[in-house]
Amino acid sequence: MTINVLTLFPEMFAALEHSVIGRAIQSGVVRLNVVNIRSFSKDKHLKCDDYPYGGGAGMVMTPQPIFDAVQAVDPQRICRRIYLSPKGQTLTAAKAKQLSESGDLLFLCGHYEGVDQRAIDLCIDEELSLGDFVLTGGELAAMVAIDSLLRFVPGVLGSEQSAVDESFSDSLLEYPQYTRPRVFEGLEVPEVLVSGHHENVEKWRREQSLAITSRLRPDLIENFASKNTAKE
Ligand SMILES: C[S@@+](CC[C@H](N)C(=O)[O-])C[C@H]1O[C@@H](n2cnc3c(N)ncnc32)[C@H](O)[C@@H]1O
């Protein structure tokens, strides 16, 4: 799988060189191609932004360098092309999984006041948001999307079960996790987890998941209930 990223700040993507995602890139499970939009600018000073028509604060990214960068990276229109934007569909675990199964991807990161609408109309398949807030640029959003979708790509996580057995995988939040020592600052690991009784452990985890989700995210419990009713 190849993930292309178009950005004015390629150096920010050094954050993906570490840990699980860094290993996935090094081992070749995923190819990360970070492209500097500025190198496609036909402006003599390599300018990539300009004042907005109609006035208003801030600068807008010009369409030409973006259009040419997209054409160079994905000439056959093979990639699913995504613009990170507060107007987009919100990233969820289900969306991350869907993107992980979409073949090669191209992420366009906006900056300043955003991107000239014509670049979006000409080049982009969908817009993706991290949530109802505004970031200074799409770079952090792209990294979050890449991290979350790569967890669903076989070979990225040590144990493939990890992406399945996790918060949101079945519409529920995860149960509490414990490791050594058995007693820490007077707090003990729940007895059932050291009992060695696999069935009881599973039952306890399920109950904890349901209780935590009901308390913290009643909206998820409604989804969970309607999914399970539909299955019956
Ligand atoms: C300052 S924002 C532009 C916001 C735009 N003027 C608006 O009000 O919708 C600059 C860039 O950050 C990215 N961005 C901002 N908020 C985002 C979010 N919630 N999700 C994904 N990307 C976001 C987009 O790529 C955007 O072009």
Side-chain angles (χ1 to χ4, degrees), residues 17-30:
E17 286 166 14
H18 307 275
S19 183
V20 174
I21 304 302
R23 282 196 294 277
I25 294 166
Q26 270 161 26
S27 68
V29 176
V30 60

Coordinates of all heavy atoms in Angstrom, one line a residue, residues 17-30:
E17 N 8.1 8.4 11.7 CA 9.3 7.5 11.5 C 9.5 6.6 12.7 O 10.5 5.9 12.8 CB 10.5 8.4 11.2 CG 10.5 9.0 9.9 CD 11.6 10.1 9.7 OE1 12.4 10.2 10.6 OE2 11.5 10.8 8.7
H18 N 8.7 6.8 13.8 CA 8.9 6.1 15.0 C 7.9 5.0 15.3 O 6.9 4.9 14.7 CB 8.9 7.1 16.2 CG 9.9 8.3 15.9 ND1 11.2 8.2 16.2 CD2 9.6 9.5 15.3 CE1 11.8 9.4 15.7 NE2 10.8 10.1 15.2
S19 N 8.3 4.2 16.3 CA 7.4 3.2 16.9 C 6.8 2.3 15.8 O 7.4 1.9 14.8 CB 6.4 3.9 17.7 OG 5.5 3.0 18.4
V20 N 5.5 1.9 16.0 CA 4.8 0.9 15.2 C 4.7 1.4 13.7 O 5.0 0.6 12.8 CB 3.4 0.7 15.7 CG1 2.6 -0.2 14.8 CG2 3.4 0.2 17.2
I21 N 4.4 2.6 13.5 CA 4.2 3.1 12.1 C 5.6 3.2 11.4 O 5.7 2.8 10.2 CB 3.5 4.4 12.0 CG1 2.1 4.3 12.8 CG2 3.3 4.9 10.6 CD1 1.2 3.3 12.2
G22 N 6.6 3.6 12.2 CA 8.0 3.7 11.6 C 8.4 2.3 11.2 O 9.0 2.1 10.1
R23 N 8.1 1.3 12.0 CA 8.6 -0.1 11.7 C 7.8 -0.6 10.4 O 8.4 -1.3 9.6 CB 8.3 -1.0 12.9 CG 9.4 -0.9 14.0 CD 9.3 -2.1 14.9 NE 8.1 -2.1 15.7 CZ 7.9 -1.5 16.8 NH1 8.8 -0.7 17.3 NH2 6.7 -1.6 17.4
A24 N 6.5 -0.2 10.3 CA 5.8 -0.7 9.2 C 6.3 -0.1 7.9 O 6.4 -0.7 6.8 CB 4.3 -0.3 9.3
I25 N 6.8 1.2 8.0 CA 7.4 1.8 6.8 C 8.7 1.2 6.5 O 9.0 0.8 5.3 CB 7.5 3.4 7.1 CG1 6.2 4.0 7.2 CG2 8.3 4.0 5.9 CD1 6.2 5.4 7.7
Q26 N 9.5 1.0 7.5 CA 10.9 0.4 7.3 C 10.8 -1.0 6.7 O 11.6 -1.4 5.9 CB 11.7 0.3 8.6 CG 12.5 1.6 8.9 CD 12.9 1.8 10.3 OE1 13.0 0.8 11.0 NE2 13.1 3.0 10.7
S27 N 9.8 -1.8 7.2 CA 9.7 -3.2 6.7 C 9.0 -3.3 5.3 O 8.9 -4.3 4.8 CB 8.9 -4.0 7.7 OG 7.5 -3.6 7.7
G28 N 8.5 -2.1 4.8 CA 7.9 -2.1 3.5 C 6.4 -2.5 3.4 O 5.9 -2.6 2.3
V29 N 5.8 -2.7 4.6 CA 4.3 -3.0 4.6 C 3.6 -1.8 4.0 O 2.6 -2.0 3.3 CB 3.8 -3.3 6.0 CG1 2.3 -3.5 6.0 CG2 4.6 -4.5 6.6
V30 N 4.1 -0.6 4.2 CA 3.5 0.6 3.7 C 4.6 1.5 3.1 O 5.7 1.5 3.7 CB 2.6 1.3 4.7 CG1 3.4 1.7 5.9 CG2 1.9 2.5 4.1

